[in-house]
Amino acid sequence: MNITPLGRLARTHTAGELTAEHVDQSVVLLGWVHRLRDLGSLVFIDLRDRHGMTQVVVRENEPLVDEAKRLRAEWVIAVIGTVVLRAPDAVNAKMETGQIEVEAREIRLLNEAKVPPFSISNEELPVAEEMRLKYRYLDLRRPRMQHNIALRHRATMEIRKYFDEHGFLEIETPMLTKSTPEGARDYLVPSRVYPGEFYALPQSPQIFKQILMISGLDRYFQIVKCFRDEDLRADRQPEFTQVDLEISFATEDIVFGTMEPLMERLMALIGKTAPRPFLRLPYAEAIAKYGSDKPDLRPGMEIQDVSAAFAQSSFSVFRDAVAGGGEVRGFVVKGGARYSRKELDDLTEQAKGLGATGLVWARINGGTVQSSALKAAGEGTIRRGLDTADATEGDLLLLAAGRHEPTSRVLGSLRLQVAKKEGLLDPSRFEFLWVVDFPMFEWLEAEGRYEFMHHPFTAPLESDAPLLEADQGRARARAYDLVLNGSEIAGGSIRIHDQALQKLIFRLLGISDEEARLRFGFFLDALEYGTPPHGGIALGLDRMVAILCGEPSIRDVIAFPKTAQAQDLMAGAPSAVNPKQLKELGLK
Ligand code: ASP
């Protein structure tokens, strides 16, 4: 078959829309050969485009049958034919177009294709991710990726519509700019016009969106790329997309009241609800109950303080931990009493791998109390521990001791591993919550200094203002994160709008006046010209869409992502540049 030009041929229908209502119509379909079945005197072609798949049949036409046999997967064809009902036993209820087929009168070959390096039609066959990323144009042809990209589009459109309806203006902010402090390394772009000087790509539009509030623009949003040159972590992208917003005269209630209905609308895209109002959990409580500032609420299994049961006991490990200011903490695995010796040993190893000095288990099995510390602690103490934690017949209690926060964090990670093992992370459930009252500062042990926890423009809780200078580590911020099923999907804060407080925060962060002037002088100046109280938030669009798509990796909802090693395998970036370009930039 020779390649023919498209000429004036236009498609009458997509490959996803023909039904029994179209029977007897003459149609033109344009698309790719998804699959070809050669039955001798009969050839079936599954024709694919973005909208779906249509079965084309070639029969009772010897020359056309012969031509069809020569087609190959991923060739681009035009089919001109008539819609007919399938025989009752050939109806495919799983396909939108499964009632019908198109009987071809003519098939034109529009283009051939090399044999693809992996199957487009059989998504079950495993393909290495490097191959998928190198041949992303083929990977994106696969129905799963087409679905993900389309859902991302729908989410994006819903977001734009929502903010427009609520009086937000979409405003673009510069990509070539000055550093924005979000705690990561900047990507720098050398200036050709000013040799030796650099732009930074924005880590977020943070300063610009605050300036827009100073400018009286009142409500801003933007779906925007942000760039952070962070150390490589499995599910991070050097460039990622945020839904960024800022609101003048904002309070927490206004920001939450803006985001919650938006979440409701996004969940509706996959037929789910998001019951409002979302739970608000102070950071300290999140750490205590779930050992995490992004708790997954689905499994329940709250971590509890059972120190009282052990404080006076003969079990020296726990008694001493409590005497030394620590706590005995643990959580209950419902029905976990059935675990085998090996499973319990594995849990202990996991806990040690997470940094616990040890793990003690206790359970009630057929009325008897059993525990790895039964001998040392005695039955009475173990029973008290089980009672305190509300563990009953058939339950397992996992315990660790030490300082409050590290012990909670270890148990929090173990809790998630157990929840996974127990199948308690139900992918069809969606649990939103707000984590609030984050600490203002985080102590960096290695550097012997405080760093901001969110960013340096975050306001302290009014009640904690006196702590700023008295006990900076205990001051809490008006910062909040929106968490969904254990992922931080959005984060933001009420901002500082007063220059004196902003200067104090810089000083507490060890940023000198000169340095602040150099880095954000323009912003400090702007703050002096009538800054309204304001606040905002940014939603990680990639993660949100991945959750909507049920994809564990954000790479599967980004058309052209980088690898975990920050490479673009398709385009081959980063790459060396030619010496002439370097010279122009004044670089060696
Ligand atoms: N700029 C912040 C971030 O990127 C979000 C915010 O505070 O609005 O995390």
Side-chain angles (χ1 to χ4, degrees):
M1 204 185 278
N2 293 326
I3 294 176
T4 54
L6 182 61
R8 287 171 185 278
L9 195 64
R11 66 173 153 195
T12 59
H13 297 83
T14 70
E17 69 175 299
L18 295 174
T19 64
E21 282 176 27
H22 299 90
V23 166
D24 291 339
Q25 288 189 21
S26 176
V27 297
V28 178
L29 299 182
L30 303 176
W32 284 262
V33 175
H34 190 66
R35 230 182 261 118
L36 190 102
R37 270 162 299 145
D38 177 355
L39 305 184
S41 62
L42 202 65
V43 174
F44 288 106
I45 302 163
D46 284 341
L47 181 94
R48 185 194 72 233
D49 67 16
R50 158 157 97 73
H51 306 275
M53 204 96 68
T54 301
Q55 175 164 295
V56 174
V57 55
V58 193
R59 59 161 78 97
E60 289 159 21
N61 179 340
E62 227 173 279
L64 193 58
V65 168
D66 284 344
E67 280 189 5
K69 286 180 183 196
R70 282 192 291 266
L71 296 173
R72 292 291 169 264
E74 300 312 311
W75 288 18
V76 188
I77 58 170
V79 171
I80 302 160
T82 306
V83 181
V84 297
L85 274 184
R86 292 196 198 183
D89 60 339
V91 165
N92 182 346
K94 275 188 267 159
M95 261 174 111
E96 303 281 338
T97 60
Q99 298 280 333
I100 57 93
E101 57 196 6
V102 170
E103 214 166 67
R105 266 197 314 281
E106 187 186 338
I107 296 178
R108 291 189 202 164
L109 177 61
L110 300 177
N111 215 342
E112 295 180 352
K114 282 169 75 172
V115 175
F118 50 82
S119 168
I120 311 294
S121 61
N122 188 347
E123 291 189 279
E124 306 295 308
L125 292 177
V127 186
E129 196 180 19
E130 291 77 62
M131 285 296 272
R132 294 181 50 207
L133 293 178
K134 175 153 194 247
Y135 296 94
R136 191 59 158 181
Y137 36 90
L138 296 177
D139 189 43
L140 287 172
R141 274 188 199 168
R142 305 169 104 202
R144 170 175 142 214
M145 290 304 290
Q146 299 241 323
H147 167 264
N148 291 355
I149 297 293
L151 185 51
R152 184 180 178 119
H153 161 79
R154 225 160 290 127
T156 307
M157 293 312 281
E158 197 62 36
I159 290 165
R160 288 217 155 87
K161 226 166 62 199
Y162 176 83
F163 284 116
D164 180 49
E165 284 166 14
H166 289 81
F168 285 75
L169 301 179
E170 183 168 12
I171 305 173
E172 290 170 80
T173 52
M175 290 289 120
L176 294 177
T177 176
K178 239 175 135 85
S179 180
T180 22
E182 294 279 0
R185 204 175 288 111
D186 287 324
Y187 278 100
L188 297 175
V189 180
S191 160
R192 179 183 57 79
V193 184
Y194 301 96
E197 297 189 5
F198 295 82
Y199 302 97
L201 300 181
Q203 291 185 36
S204 79
Q206 187 61 35
I207 294 178
F208 287 99
K209 69 174 173 175
Q210 290 192 238
I211 288 179
L212 290 171
M213 297 305 102
I214 299 174
S215 304
L217 286 153
D218 199 58
R219 297 187 142 211
Y220 140 96
F221 91 101
Q222 184 180 193
I223 299 180
V224 62
K225 276 289 178 78
C226 301
F227 304 84
R228 297 183 191 178
D229 188 0
E230 292 183 288
D231 286 334
L232 309 167
R233 268 197 260 165
D235 210 25
R236 286 284 175 90
Q237 286 283 308
E239 55 178 305
F240 58 95
T241 307
Q242 279 190 349
V243 180
D244 194 42
L245 54 133
E246 197 72 9
I247 303 174
S248 287
F249 310 107
T251 59
E252 284 82 349
D253 285 339
I254 291 175
V255 175
F256 298 0
T258 303
M259 292 301 283
E260 291 183 8
L262 175 64
M263 292 302 118
E264 197 171 41
R265 279 171 66 163
L266 293 180
M267 294 312 293
L269 294 176
I270 56 164
K272 295 282 174 185
T273 56
R276 291 190 273 140
F278 300 168
L279 176 72
R280 297 183 191 186
L281 197 65
Y283 170 89
E285 208 176 315
I287 298 292
K289 285 189 178 163
Y290 306 102
S292 165
D293 59 3
K294 39 180 196 297
D296 193 328
L297 300 181
R298 286 173 298 173
M301 300 203 297
E302 284 179 17
I303 300 166
Q304 309 175 52
D305 183 351
V306 294
S307 306
F310 294 93
Q312 315 294 337
S313 75
S314 57
F315 185 32
S316 60
V317 181
F318 280 6
R319 191 189 59 221
D320 295 351
V322 177
E327 290 172 12
V328 181
R329 305 186 63 76
F331 64 89
V332 174
V333 187
K334 283 271 150 221
R338 67 181 152 72
Y339 284 7
S340 68
R341 199 65 217 205
K342 160 125 193 359
E343 285 174 296
L344 292 167
D345 289 347
D346 287 350
L347 284 176
T348 308
E349 282 316 303
Q350 281 174 29
K352 285 185 182 159
L354 293 165
T357 44
L359 186 76
V360 167
W361 58 262
R363 66 184 174 196
I364 313 178
N365 217 350
T368 8
V369 170
Q370 301 170 340
S371 168
S372 54
L374 192 66
K375 264 214 204 98
E379 191 183 330
T381 299
I382 298 294
R383 194 175 279 281
R384 257 195 304 286
L386 287 161
D387 285 348
T388 314
D390 265 337
T392 54
E393 173 63 35
D395 293 347
L396 174 72
L397 173 64
L398 298 174
L399 297 166
R403 285 193 294 129
H404 174 83
E405 180 163 343
T407 306
S408 299
R409 284 193 185 271
V410 166
L411 288 169
S413 304
L414 192 66
R415 169 183 174 270
L416 287 181
Q417 294 183 4
V418 173
K420 201 163 168 195
K421 172 176 151 82
E422 291 288 303
L424 296 174
L425 302 178
D426 177 358
S428 70
R429 267 181 63 198
F430 296 88
E431 297 276 356
F432 288 92
L433 78 149
W434 292 102
V435 175
V436 300
D437 300 349
F438 277 82
M440 276 291 278
F441 306 103
E442 174 180 23
W443 178 250
L444 300 183
E445 197 63 58
E447 297 174 40
R449 67 176 179 92
Y450 279 107
E451 178 64 303
F452 51 81
M453 192 114 167
H454 186 53
H455 52 55
F457 312 115
T458 299
L461 278 192
E462 266 157 43
S463 58
D464 285 6
L467 284 177
L468 287 175
E469 295 196 83
D471 192 356
Q472 125 175 50
R474 281 183 45 222
R476 288 165 302 170
R478 294 181 74 181
Y480 33 76
D481 278 355
L482 181 58
V483 176
L484 171 55
N485 289 0
S487 292
E488 175 205 326
I489 55 169
S493 60
I494 301 299
R495 326 296 184 190
I496 296 166
H497 62 276
D498 137 31
Q499 223 232 23
L501 181 57
Q502 188 63 73
K503 277 191 167 159
L504 170 65
I505 298 297
F506 284 148
R507 186 158 59 70
L508 293 172
L509 287 167
I511 301 174
S512 69
D513 281 356
E514 299 81 80
E515 195 188 344
R517 200 80 324 269
L518 213 66
R519 286 170 64 187
F520 337 102
F522 66 108
F523 179 58
L524 294 177
D525 289 342
L527 276 177
E528 291 188 283
Y529 287 93
T531 301
H534 60 287
I537 191 164
L539 167 77
L541 184 67
D542 306 306
R543 170 56 54 207
M544 185 67 210
V545 174
I547 292 173
L548 293 175
C549 291
E551 294 285 4
S553 166
I554 61 172
R555 290 190 293 278
D556 285 333
V557 300
I558 299 173
F560 301 106
K562 311 252 183 311
T563 63
Q565 280 71 42
Q567 283 177 303
D568 177 339
L569 294 180
M570 182 182 75
S575 58
V577 298
N578 77 44
K580 185 164 160 273
Q581 283 174 300
L582 286 180
K583 203 167 154 226
E584 271 176 350
L585 292 168
L587 296 174
K588 285 211 190 65

